Amino acid sequence: MQAARQSCSCLTGVIVQSRTNFLLSSSKMASLRRGLSYINFIRNTVCALGSNKLTRQQFLRLPETVRKNGVPFSVGSGLCSVPFTQQAEQLSHEALIRRASNLVTDSANTYLSQTTLALVDSLTQYAKTLHTLIALQRRYLASLGKMTPAEEDSIWQVIIGQRVEVGDRLDACNRFEINWINAINICEMAAEAAYTSGAEHASVTVKSHIQMAQAQVQESRQLTKDAEKKLAEIKADEIQRMAEYANTRDINVEDMPEAYLRED
């Protein structure tokens, strides 16, 4: 009987010690209470066995067996394991370099994602300002000769302001493009380093991100090129229309305001 009490006491200590190895949520506390009830059941069973020597010896050896082998106890819906000593993983230099290369590729991918987003957004905004300028100049040409001098001057002030915004957007594109090119170069070096260190998966992932970033930027650049082409066409039409307007009104082109003849 004393051996049975000792066995149950050891099992109780195992459950209590296991309780500290995970967060004590309400569900796990309920599982622990069920585990304690199982222990009480075992205690009562041992008491009922009385003087059975073989049974006492088996229950006495149970806690020792658990501690040696790290046998997990399923307590209700939760799972707790008896702590056991783990051997520290021995990592080689190659493994450490491979881990470091994975970190480098992750950082390079993040840098590329941010610079690509910035460049694509700046290119999109630049294309929008170009289309706005094209619409303003088309409106001016359609109203040429039908406006009063005050109205004509007013619309040209708007056009000049839009041209300034176009220049600002283009400067932003150039700044972000420098960062984006640097990100591409860093990713290429990171991919090469990952491949050399044996992290082939990380290398392939970086190369895939590079291709996607280049495709996104190329698509945005095509939009800006189309807008710039339309602007060049409207500028050529503007010069021709302004020359015709000057001839019909007997106006010397050299006497026209500089803003009317300004090219981007």
PDB file of all heavy atoms in Angstrom, residues 95 97-107 109 194 197 199-203:
ATOM      1  N   ALA A  95      25.867  24.824 -42.271  1.00  0.00           N
ATOM      2  CA  ALA A  95      24.467  25.027 -41.891  1.00  0.00           C
ATOM      3  C   ALA A  95      24.217  26.455 -41.434  1.00  0.00           C
ATOM      4  O   ALA A  95      23.188  27.054 -41.748  1.00  0.00           O
ATOM      5  CB  ALA A  95      24.080  24.032 -40.792  1.00  0.00           C
ATOM      6  N   ILE A  97      25.911  29.142 -42.340  1.00  0.00           N
ATOM      7  CA  ILE A  97      25.975  30.011 -43.520  1.00  0.00           C
ATOM      8  C   ILE A  97      24.682  29.899 -44.323  1.00  0.00           C
ATOM      9  O   ILE A  97      24.150  30.894 -44.828  1.00  0.00           O
ATOM     10  CB  ILE A  97      27.185  29.645 -44.388  1.00  0.00           C
ATOM     11  CG1 ILE A  97      28.486  29.996 -43.655  1.00  0.00           C
ATOM     12  CG2 ILE A  97      27.129  30.352 -45.734  1.00  0.00           C
ATOM     13  CD1 ILE A  97      29.733  29.552 -44.375  1.00  0.00           C
ATOM     14  N   ARG A  98      24.145  28.697 -44.414  1.00  0.00           N
ATOM     15  CA  ARG A  98      22.904  28.492 -45.149  1.00  0.00           C
ATOM     16  C   ARG A  98      21.751  29.236 -44.475  1.00  0.00           C
ATOM     17  O   ARG A  98      20.908  29.855 -45.142  1.00  0.00           O
ATOM     18  CB  ARG A  98      22.610  26.995 -45.240  1.00  0.00           C
ATOM     19  CG  ARG A  98      21.505  26.642 -46.209  1.00  0.00           C
ATOM     20  CD  ARG A  98      21.594  25.189 -46.626  1.00  0.00           C
ATOM     21  NE  ARG A  98      21.745  24.271 -45.502  1.00  0.00           N
ATOM     22  CZ  ARG A  98      22.853  23.579 -45.250  1.00  0.00           C
ATOM     23  NH1 ARG A  98      23.912  23.718 -46.032  1.00  0.00           N
ATOM     24  NH2 ARG A  98      22.923  22.773 -44.220  1.00  0.00           N
ATOM     25  N   ARG A  99      21.713  29.196 -43.153  1.00  0.00           N
ATOM     26  CA  ARG A  99      20.681  29.950 -42.433  1.00  0.00           C
ATOM     27  C   ARG A  99      20.833  31.451 -42.658  1.00  0.00           C
ATOM     28  O   ARG A  99      19.854  32.169 -42.860  1.00  0.00           O
ATOM     29  CB  ARG A  99      20.756  29.637 -40.936  1.00  0.00           C
ATOM     30  CG  ARG A  99      20.230  28.275 -40.551  1.00  0.00           C
ATOM     31  CD  ARG A  99      20.153  28.126 -39.046  1.00  0.00           C
ATOM     32  NE  ARG A  99      19.553  26.880 -38.638  1.00  0.00           N
ATOM     33  CZ  ARG A  99      19.267  26.564 -37.376  1.00  0.00           C
ATOM     34  NH1 ARG A  99      19.550  27.422 -36.411  1.00  0.00           N
ATOM     35  NH2 ARG A  99      18.716  25.410 -37.086  1.00  0.00           N
ATOM     36  N   ALA A 100      22.064  31.914 -42.610  1.00  0.00           N
ATOM     37  CA  ALA A 100      22.307  33.346 -42.814  1.00  0.00           C
ATOM     38  C   ALA A 100      21.901  33.774 -44.221  1.00  0.00           C
ATOM     39  O   ALA A 100      21.344  34.861 -44.424  1.00  0.00           O
ATOM     40  CB  ALA A 100      23.779  33.665 -42.555  1.00  0.00           C
ATOM     41  N   SER A 101      22.174  32.929 -45.213  1.00  0.00           N
ATOM     42  CA  SER A 101      21.794  33.270 -46.588  1.00  0.00           C
ATOM     43  C   SER A 101      20.286  33.327 -46.742  1.00  0.00           C
ATOM     44  O   SER A 101      19.760  34.136 -47.515  1.00  0.00           O
ATOM     45  CB  SER A 101      22.398  32.254 -47.557  1.00  0.00           C
ATOM     46  OG  SER A 101      21.837  30.965 -47.359  1.00  0.00           O
ATOM     47  N   ASN A 102      19.573  32.494 -46.004  1.00  0.00           N
ATOM     48  CA  ASN A 102      18.109  32.557 -46.031  1.00  0.00           C
ATOM     49  C   ASN A 102      17.602  33.887 -45.483  1.00  0.00           C
ATOM     50  O   ASN A 102      16.659  34.475 -46.018  1.00  0.00           O
ATOM     51  CB  ASN A 102      17.514  31.399 -45.229  1.00  0.00           C
ATOM     52  CG  ASN A 102      17.610  30.075 -45.955  1.00  0.00           C
ATOM     53  OD1 ASN A 102      17.531  30.031 -47.178  1.00  0.00           O
ATOM     54  ND2 ASN A 102      17.780  28.994 -45.219  1.00  0.00           N
ATOM     55  N   LEU A 103      18.241  34.357 -44.413  1.00  0.00           N
ATOM     56  CA  LEU A 103      17.867  35.654 -43.850  1.00  0.00           C
ATOM     57  C   LEU A 103      18.150  36.782 -44.838  1.00  0.00           C
ATOM     58  O   LEU A 103      17.359  37.722 -44.980  1.00  0.00           O
ATOM     59  CB  LEU A 103      18.614  35.898 -42.543  1.00  0.00           C
ATOM     60  CG  LEU A 103      18.276  34.967 -41.377  1.00  0.00           C
ATOM     61  CD1 LEU A 103      19.167  35.271 -40.177  1.00  0.00           C
ATOM     62  CD2 LEU A 103      16.810  35.114 -40.983  1.00  0.00           C
ATOM     63  N   VAL A 104      19.274  36.685 -45.525  1.00  0.00           N
ATOM     64  CA  VAL A 104      19.632  37.710 -46.512  1.00  0.00           C
ATOM     65  C   VAL A 104      18.615  37.745 -47.644  1.00  0.00           C
ATOM     66  O   VAL A 104      18.177  38.815 -48.080  1.00  0.00           O
ATOM     67  CB  VAL A 104      21.048  37.458 -47.055  1.00  0.00           C
ATOM     68  CG1 VAL A 104      21.341  38.377 -48.227  1.00  0.00           C
ATOM     69  CG2 VAL A 104      22.091  37.684 -45.961  1.00  0.00           C
ATOM     70  N   THR A 105      18.227  36.587 -48.147  1.00  0.00           N
ATOM     71  CA  THR A 105      17.251  36.547 -49.235  1.00  0.00           C
ATOM     72  C   THR A 105      15.898  37.086 -48.792  1.00  0.00           C
ATOM     73  O   THR A 105      15.222  37.773 -49.568  1.00  0.00           O
ATOM     74  CB  THR A 105      17.093  35.110 -49.753  1.00  0.00           C
ATOM     75  OG1 THR A 105      16.762  34.238 -48.657  1.00  0.00           O
ATOM     76  CG2 THR A 105      18.363  34.626 -50.405  1.00  0.00           C
ATOM     77  N   ASP A 106      15.497  36.797 -47.553  1.00  0.00           N
ATOM     78  CA  ASP A 106      14.229  37.343 -47.050  1.00  0.00           C
ATOM     79  C   ASP A 106      14.264  38.869 -47.008  1.00  0.00           C
ATOM     80  O   ASP A 106      13.312  39.540 -47.421  1.00  0.00           O
ATOM     81  CB  ASP A 106      13.935  36.794 -45.649  1.00  0.00           C
ATOM     82  CG  ASP A 106      13.575  35.318 -45.680  1.00  0.00           C
ATOM     83  OD1 ASP A 106      13.206  34.825 -46.761  1.00  0.00           O
ATOM     84  OD2 ASP A 106      13.667  34.663 -44.632  1.00  0.00           O
ATOM     85  N   SER A 107      15.366  39.429 -46.510  1.00  0.00           N
ATOM     86  CA  SER A 107      15.498  40.887 -46.447  1.00  0.00           C
ATOM     87  C   SER A 107      15.546  41.501 -47.845  1.00  0.00           C
ATOM     88  O   SER A 107      14.944  42.546 -48.106  1.00  0.00           O
ATOM     89  CB  SER A 107      16.759  41.261 -45.665  1.00  0.00           C
ATOM     90  OG  SER A 107      16.703  40.779 -44.337  1.00  0.00           O
ATOM     91  N   ASN A 109      14.197  40.294 -50.565  1.00  0.00           N
ATOM     92  CA  ASN A 109      12.850  40.229 -51.131  1.00  0.00           C
ATOM     93  C   ASN A 109      11.963  41.351 -50.598  1.00  0.00           C
ATOM     94  O   ASN A 109      11.173  41.948 -51.344  1.00  0.00           O
ATOM     95  CB  ASN A 109      12.213  38.870 -50.820  1.00  0.00           C
ATOM     96  CG  ASN A 109      12.784  37.754 -51.662  1.00  0.00           C
ATOM     97  OD1 ASN A 109      13.221  37.987 -52.785  1.00  0.00           O
ATOM     98  ND2 ASN A 109      12.789  36.546 -51.132  1.00  0.00           N
ATOM     99  N   ALA A 194      22.884  32.481 -51.942  1.00  0.00           N
ATOM    100  CA  ALA A 194      22.063  31.376 -51.440  1.00  0.00           C
ATOM    101  C   ALA A 194      22.348  30.092 -52.207  1.00  0.00           C
ATOM    102  O   ALA A 194      22.443  29.006 -51.623  1.00  0.00           O
ATOM    103  CB  ALA A 194      20.583  31.748 -51.544  1.00  0.00           C
ATOM    104  N   SER A 197      25.676  28.622 -51.088  1.00  0.00           N
ATOM    105  CA  SER A 197      25.658  28.043 -49.745  1.00  0.00           C
ATOM    106  C   SER A 197      24.802  26.793 -49.646  1.00  0.00           C
ATOM    107  O   SER A 197      24.756  26.163 -48.588  1.00  0.00           O
ATOM    108  CB  SER A 197      25.142  29.086 -48.749  1.00  0.00           C
ATOM    109  OG  SER A 197      23.792  29.430 -49.028  1.00  0.00           O
ATOM    110  N   ALA A 199      21.405  26.765 -50.327  1.00  0.00           N
ATOM    111  CA  ALA A 199      19.988  27.096 -50.133  1.00  0.00           C
ATOM    112  C   ALA A 199      19.344  27.327 -51.501  1.00  0.00           C
ATOM    113  O   ALA A 199      19.020  28.454 -51.883  1.00  0.00           O
ATOM    114  CB  ALA A 199      19.840  28.324 -49.235  1.00  0.00           C
ATOM    115  N   GLU A 200      19.175  26.249 -52.253  1.00  0.00           N
ATOM    116  CA  GLU A 200      18.667  26.369 -53.622  1.00  0.00           C
ATOM    117  C   GLU A 200      17.250  26.931 -53.662  1.00  0.00           C
ATOM    118  O   GLU A 200      16.905  27.711 -54.546  1.00  0.00           O
ATOM    119  CB  GLU A 200      18.702  25.008 -54.326  1.00  0.00           C
ATOM    120  CG  GLU A 200      20.090  24.490 -54.638  1.00  0.00           C
ATOM    121  CD  GLU A 200      20.708  23.755 -53.459  1.00  0.00           C
ATOM    122  OE1 GLU A 200      20.041  23.687 -52.396  1.00  0.00           O
ATOM    123  OE2 GLU A 200      21.848  23.258 -53.587  1.00  0.00           O
ATOM    124  N   HIS A 201      16.421  26.526 -52.709  1.00  0.00           N
ATOM    125  CA  HIS A 201      15.026  26.990 -52.697  1.00  0.00           C
ATOM    126  C   HIS A 201      14.959  28.506 -52.516  1.00  0.00           C
ATOM    127  O   HIS A 201      14.188  29.186 -53.208  1.00  0.00           O
ATOM    128  CB  HIS A 201      14.246  26.294 -51.583  1.00  0.00           C
ATOM    129  CG  HIS A 201      12.825  26.747 -51.479  1.00  0.00           C
ATOM    130  ND1 HIS A 201      11.869  26.427 -52.418  1.00  0.00           N
ATOM    131  CD2 HIS A 201      12.207  27.526 -50.547  1.00  0.00           C
ATOM    132  CE1 HIS A 201      10.721  26.973 -52.074  1.00  0.00           C
ATOM    133  NE2 HIS A 201      10.896  27.640 -50.948  1.00  0.00           N
ATOM    134  N   ALA A 202      15.770  29.027 -51.608  1.00  0.00           N
ATOM    135  CA  ALA A 202      15.789  30.482 -51.396  1.00  0.00           C
ATOM    136  C   ALA A 202      16.284  31.203 -52.643  1.00  0.00           C
ATOM    137  O   ALA A 202      15.779  32.270 -53.001  1.00  0.00           O
ATOM    138  CB  ALA A 202      16.683  30.819 -50.202  1.00  0.00           C
ATOM    139  N   SER A 203      17.264  30.624 -53.318  1.00  0.00           N
ATOM    140  CA  SER A 203      17.780  31.234 -54.538  1.00  0.00           C
ATOM    141  C   SER A 203      16.708  31.295 -55.623  1.00  0.00           C
ATOM    142  O   SER A 203      16.531  32.318 -56.288  1.00  0.00           O
ATOM    143  CB  SER A 203      18.990  30.444 -55.032  1.00  0.00           C
ATOM    144  OG  SER A 203      19.482  30.966 -56.246  1.00  0.00           O
TER     145      SER A 203
END
